[in-house]
Amino acid sequence: RERETPGQNAYEMGMAKDKAWAERQQTGRIVVHLADAPQELMRQGYLRYYLDAGRRVLDTPLQNWSVFTHEVRKISGKHRHQGGLVIYVIDGRGYSVVDGERVDWEKGDLVLLPMKPAGVEHQHFNLDPEKPALWMAFIHQGMREYVASEVTQTEPSPDWKAKEDQGGR
């Protein structure tokens, strides 16, 4: 016997979401290629999102992660959030100012942004005027939800400001 297809109610939508998640775990894309992640100038600087919590690349197993690179040409924007960010420095050398304290980093270092209820204000600086520093950040969205993290941009990157001043967005 054929059964009637259930209507789209909250329960059925939840079941479909769970089924899609299970299928992605078995058959989802394993590699996100550079070409799938265009670099964009944003208020924080030059970012390239490989994973962004189900908003950009939708066919991968891991949908609860934000993974992006940040090319720090001179100075990033400054912002504040509750922390819990893992940053791996791919290339270059620079420093970050985290709640007013300078912390230096270079290629191969791992930067761990602490978690604080009131947030952690931070900004990143490149020390080599000849080449940008490049790092990759990893954020687990479940952790962000757990600490009720929000991002407050306190200062845009100089590159974004220049783009705005020229009438671009």
Side-chain angles (χ1 to χ4, degrees):
R1 283 188 300 195
E2 293 295 320
R3 291 195 173 177
E4 189 176 308
T5 303
Q8 284 296 344
N9 58 46
Y11 182 81
E12 295 304 329
M13 289 175 10
M15 294 290 287
K17 182 179 177 185
D18 289 350
K19 182 179 179 186
W21 177 86
E23 287 174 5
R24 268 196 325 274
Q25 301 314 303
Q26 297 297 316
T27 63
R29 178 170 24 153
I30 295 173
V31 177
V32 178
H33 295 281
L34 181 67
D36 299 328
Q39 185 177 56
E40 299 177 66
L41 175 57
M42 302 179 191
R43 285 189 286 170
Q44 192 62 8
Y46 290 91
L47 306 180
R48 179 185 308 272
Y49 279 88
Y50 289 86
L51 294 176
D52 190 20
R55 291 186 286 231
R56 294 176 189 243
V57 180
L58 301 175
D59 61 346
T60 63
L62 302 174
Q63 291 292 303
N64 293 326
W65 286 88
S66 287
V67 178
F68 61 92
T69 59
H70 187 160
E71 184 179 285
V72 183
R73 295 183 179 182
K74 293 180 184 172
I75 303 169
S76 75
K78 184 189 302 183
H79 66 202
R80 179 180 58 250
H81 55 81
Q82 280 64 28
L85 187 75
V86 176
I87 298 170
Y88 176 73
V89 182
I90 297 169
D91 200 15
R93 60 188 179 86
Y95 66 95
S96 299
V97 176
V98 179
D99 282 341
E101 179 185 344
R102 177 178 167 154
V103 291
D104 289 271
W105 42 259
E106 63 184 22
K107 179 180 178 175
D109 288 347
L110 191 66
V111 180
L112 306 171
L113 197 59
M115 293 175 64
K116 297 182 180 179
V120 179
E121 186 171 70
H122 50 285
Q123 187 171 28
H124 313 286
F125 299 83
N126 178 25
L127 286 173
D128 187 346
E130 300 299 317
K131 86 175 182 183
L134 181 65
W135 50 254
M136 182 170 269
F138 302 85
I139 307 169
H140 187 262
Q141 294 303 316
M143 184 280 309
R144 283 193 75 225
E145 291 174 15
Y146 179 75
V147 299
S149 186
E150 68 173 278
V151 177
T152 303
Q153 191 78 34
T154 55
E155 185 180 308
S157 77
D159 294 321
W160 176 263
K161 182 124 177 64
K163 182 179 175 183
E164 275 189 326
D165 291 345
Q166 296 169 2
R169 285 223 174 222

